Amino acid sequence: MNATQTEPIPADILVVDDTPENLRLLATILAKEGYNVRKALNGSMALTAVQTVQPDLILLDIMMPGIDGYEVCYRLKSNPQTARIPIIFLSALSDGLDKAKAFDGGGADYITKPFQVQEVLARVQNQLTLKAVERKNEELQAQLEARVKERTHQLETANQELQREVQERQQLQAELLKMALNDVLTGLPNRALFMKRLEKALHQAQTDVAYQFAVLFLDCDRFKVVNDSLGHFVGDELLVAIARRLEQSLSSQHTLARLGGDEFAVLLTEVDDLNSATQVADQILAALAQPFQLARHEVFINASIGITLHQPGYEKPEHLLRDADTAMYRAKALGRGQHQVFDPVMHTRALQLLQLETDLRRAIQQQEFVVHYQPIVELNHNQLVGFEALVRWHHPQHGLLSPAIFIPVAEETGLITQIGHWVLGEACQQLCKWQQGNLDGLNLSISVNLSARQVAQLDLVKQIDQVLADTQVNPQALKLEITESVIMENPQSASVMFQELRERQIQLSIDDFGTGYSSLSYLHSFPLNILKIDRSFVQRMTDSSEGSGLVPLIINIAHSLGLTVVAEGIETAQQLAQLKALNCDCGQGYLFSKPLTVEQATELIVKTPPWLDSDVNSVPLAEII
């Protein structure tokens, strides 16, 4: 070997993600391919790493604390020295607005979590190849100019050399164009090519008022189940099969593209009207309803489709795709396996949800939340035995907001973990204050709800230990409420966690019993203390014999297992009388009290509760509240 010959330098890739597991996964995948991988846990670390040594490629997570991925990308693209570094965005977000923002900000590509190994490697190789080809083109251009100057007296030879190298460049450019505009896995046009054709259709519609086209956005409803259960290789095989079947369902004049993951888009050109577009959507749904015969598996799958018909108000192609994406999510919300046509109200709602998420993040930083406390009453003696902590949001513009408005968004974005931890700490701190003020002669308990995302946290028990240590609250006074669905999502990890909490003498309560899985097996399997009957069952007690029959059955089952029963949503004296007759242990609801502020709850502890001063069997509900 020639002593001066050196091994090629591996590409340097910077991976930025605030989740250590994602960092390790991506670093392992890329390192196995021979790349030099550097890691950063946040935006600040990423900017420092880039200034130290410029990477060849950056994989950048969007949602990070502090400086998010959009801001990191903006700073790098604003600096001429780093502007040409290709950036592939990483995110679990799949909303059309977020994707458009990613590409508008200068992102070269977009990978949706959870990662598919082959897709990650293909997109990384694609960007590195693009950069290498670009560098090669620049070198060829410089060489051509130098040779022309040096060999002007050898015009014929120089022209021949020039022609050869021009052909090389054309070949490289053709390969580059194919890689840049086609999906590696399916061979379909990718997002870039689709957007070019969509832009062309939009321009034609703007110049020809008679021209009409439509955009279909398709997402496979059960693909994640297949991918997670049968593996990524089967998932890739299924994606290819879906692509081929979609091609068979469309005419050659239409454009079918894979946007990424299990998302596809269709550009229907020269459609007559909306009915023509919906007919194509129905054909696609019918085609996908047939089973897929893969190499080793038979797989069933369906899809949700959003449809946008071109209207004169559209000026940018990404807006058409965004609205089709919005309509697709509406189809999913209405039960999946169907299509929905975009309505401007959908976009307005999407913007409202985006604004709500922004406000929610600000609310966490500025501590705009407050805890209200609803009394829990021992029914046999009408005695106050505790409170349930319920979070409310003091919005600067909209006032006090119910959790029904913001909790679903908090669950979807993961912000519920921060909110839930704050509520736990606030509730325990308040119980501590009542104890220090000698207001806890009744040995009151505090009940706090745990969300599915909180239960999924590996350090949840450690967090609870820290709160109890900080507040000095007796663990026996803490009751954690969990819904049935939370348990059944991951019963093994839930069982371990519940046992750890039981060892600390923290009581565990099943909230909204009867509205989830309603499987009696977990009542035997888990160390539970309390069962809360959902308010819907309590409300039906006086409506029908059927509703009345369920409540005694639930109470008898709970008592046979040694569980305390709490009835939620007691609003009438008749309901209270029935529950007492059924030997229900405790209850809460507007008959006793609505959720109270800290001051009102403190006053309730000090004074005689109104349900002891009055005969709740005869006093109207409005007077009791």
Side-chain angles (χ1 to χ4, degrees), residues 29 69 162 174-175 189 215 259-260 277 311 372 374 408 478 544 578 582:
I29 293 171
L162 177 61
E175 293 175 359
V215 176
L259 304 182
Q311 301 292 338
H372 283 188
Q374 185 169 37
L478 177 61
S544 66
Q578 287 178 284
L582 294 172

Side-chain angles (χ1 to χ4, degrees), residues 36 50 146 256 319:
N36 179 39
V50 172
L256 169 65
H319 291 170

Side-chain angles (χ1 to χ4, degrees), residues 73 140 235 291 298 480 490 507 534 577 614 621:
C73 182
L140 288 174
E298 181 182 57
L480 299 178
N490 197 336
Q507 297 193 55
D534 184 67
S614 308
L621 173 62

Side-chain angles (χ1 to χ4, degrees), residues 116-132:
Q116 296 185 36
V117 175
Q118 294 302 320
E119 181 177 3
V120 171
L121 295 177
R123 292 179 184 271
V124 167
Q125 182 60 44
N126 185 18
Q127 294 304 320
L128 292 176
T129 301
L130 291 177
K131 188 170 183 180

